[in-house]
Amino acid sequence: MDLRAVFAKTLSKLMKENDKICILDADLSKPNGTAPLHKEFPDRCFNVGISEANMAGIAAGLSSYGYKPIILTFTPFATRRICDQVAVSIAYAKQNVIIVGTDPGITAELNGGTHMSFEDIGVMRSIPTMKIYDVVDEIQFEQAIPELLKLEGVVYVRVPRKTRPVVFDENYKFEMFKSDVLVEGNDITIIASGTMVHEAKLAQEILKEENISAEVISLNMIKPLDKETILKSVKKTNHVVVCENHNIYGGVYGAVAELLCQEYPVKCGVIGVNDSFGQVGKYDELLKAYNMTKEDIVKKVKEQLK
């Protein structure tokens, strides 16, 4: 199922149970999948037009009156375009707002460079009190949505609009602020977030065939960082590669490297966008263009082990 459909379906149920939840769109309710909610809850869904900064300000105002606003738009417009409003009107003012950035990184695909944000984690991670969650698949996302709504303060969610490969099974249980160890290993730790978790899992299977035991961690919450799980794994393997759908500067790699520098210094490899802008292309084509494929992960792991 499209992740936008999972979002709308889950919110429909939650909005029936909680009349304080409201939705704000920036003229993108159809592509972002919230159009059915506008019909179902016309008094709590608002289209503010192509006016993202105003959308953030309205959300702050709604929060100050006890509502739980969710604002959503394409990732670059949910982060870099409204950074000041997010920092001052929402975070500094201690408002409870969920910000959803759709199609982060290369998942923007054919929308190209202007709609392809490789800096959103860096922008949001630097804002005090910000919490950041990177969606992995539909099973996890459906469980995460009600938990995210329970959080106080400002929360940023990175979510592709369309269907992504399923990583977790029906026995999965999402736990807020905890990472998931998908595969245990002894030779190297692969830490991945969002869509790169699937690529990391594929790389682990290739490495296993070559007798390299890789531990794969799905880093669900980028901020606050699950330090305990990361340090426990890296202290065991003494080697680590971080995989992210983001610029290698300011994102997950930066967060993990900062932790390791302070707590357990070890050389850290990275797979991600190497300081480049976006471009038009399909997801698999862009993985190759930015050297983020499972084969690239395997190659980086071998380099780290040397």
Side-chain angles (χ1 to χ4, degrees):
M1 182 186 295
D2 277 7
L3 290 171
R4 57 189 165 187
V6 172
F7 191 43
K9 174 185 174 184
T10 306
L11 280 180
S12 175
K13 176 183 177 183
L14 295 172
M15 290 176 76
K16 290 185 180 76
E17 300 170 353
N18 183 350
D19 63 5
K20 295 299 183 181
I21 301 173
C22 51
I23 308 294
L24 290 89
D25 284 290
D27 208 27
L28 291 170
S29 61
K30 287 185 178 180
N32 279 332
T34 53
L37 297 175
H38 283 254
K39 293 181 179 179
E40 189 174 6
F41 306 98
D43 295 333
R44 284 189 282 147
C45 293
F46 310 98
N47 178 13
V48 304
I50 305 174
S51 184
E52 293 86 354
N54 284 342
M55 180 169 65
I58 294 168
L62 286 166
S63 173
S64 71
Y65 277 86
Y67 287 92
K68 187 73 174 186
I70 301 171
I71 66 177
L72 69 159
T73 183
F74 293 153
T75 294
F77 312 140
T79 55
R80 66 187 185 216
R81 179 168 291 184
I82 63 171
C83 181
D84 186 62
Q85 285 73 25
V86 171
V88 178
S89 299
I90 298 177
Y92 180 75
K94 297 183 173 62
Q95 300 302 332
N96 300 316
V97 177
I98 293 180
I99 302 167
V100 179
T102 62
D103 283 358
I106 64 173
T107 63
E109 294 189 295
L110 300 182
N111 280 328
T114 57
H115 290 52
M116 196 171 285
S117 176
F118 294 155
E119 67 289 308
D120 57 297
I121 295 174
V123 170
M124 300 302 246
R125 193 166 72 90
S126 62
I127 297 175
T129 73
M130 179 68 67
K131 302 171 186 68
I132 303 175
Y133 163 58
D134 203 358
V135 176
V136 176
D137 70 1
E138 61 186 75
I139 293 175
Q140 183 190 81
F141 192 32
E142 184 174 8
Q143 294 185 29
I145 295 167
E147 299 304 312
L148 293 166
L149 282 163
K150 295 176 185 177
L151 296 177
E152 294 187 355
V154 56
V155 181
Y156 173 52
V157 180
R158 309 178 89 225
V159 53
R161 288 182 298 156
K162 301 175 184 178
T163 302
R164 300 302 311 154
V166 173
V167 172
F168 300 102
D169 61 27
E170 64 278 1
N171 298 316
Y172 176 71
K173 174 63 178 174
F174 176 78
E175 186 176 352
M176 185 61 67
F177 304 127
K178 293 295 291 182
S179 300
D180 295 302
V181 179
L182 298 181
V183 181
E184 294 186 358
N186 299 305
D187 296 331
I188 192 166
T189 300
I190 303 177
I191 300 172
S193 69
T195 60
M196 291 303 292
V197 174
H198 178 252
E199 308 305 323
K201 185 67 170 58
L202 295 177
Q204 177 271 329
E205 293 170 359
I206 296 172
L207 291 165
K208 182 179 180 181
E209 294 177 356
E210 300 183 28
N211 295 318
I212 297 174
S213 175
E215 183 150 294
V216 179
I217 296 176
S218 173
L219 189 71
N220 308 317
M221 294 295 291
I222 297 169
K223 186 182 181 183
L225 205 61
D226 180 3
K227 299 179 180 180
E228 181 181 354
T229 300
I230 293 171
L231 289 172
K232 180 180 179 181
S233 179
V234 176
K235 285 180 179 180
K236 176 174 64 172
T237 65
N238 283 300
H239 297 88
V240 58
V241 169
V242 175
C243 306
E244 61 179 317
N245 175 27
H246 187 271
N247 194 343
I248 62 173
Y249 298 104
V252 180
Y253 172 60
V256 172
E258 289 163 13
L259 170 65
L260 296 177
C261 181
Q262 295 172 1
E263 301 287 343
Y264 193 75
V266 62
K267 188 175 180 181
C268 185
V270 60
I271 292 290
V273 177
N274 192 356
D275 207 25
S276 301
F277 286 107
Q279 59 185 297
V280 172
K282 291 288 190 177
Y283 183 79
D284 289 343
E285 296 170 345
L286 294 169
L287 280 176
K288 294 178 182 178
Y290 292 107
N291 301 313
M292 295 163 57
T293 66
K294 60 182 183 293
E295 291 83 8
D296 292 310
I297 299 173
V298 169
K299 180 180 178 182
K300 181 61 67 174
V301 164
K302 292 179 178 178
E303 289 176 0
Q304 291 301 112
L305 290 175
K306 290 180 181 179

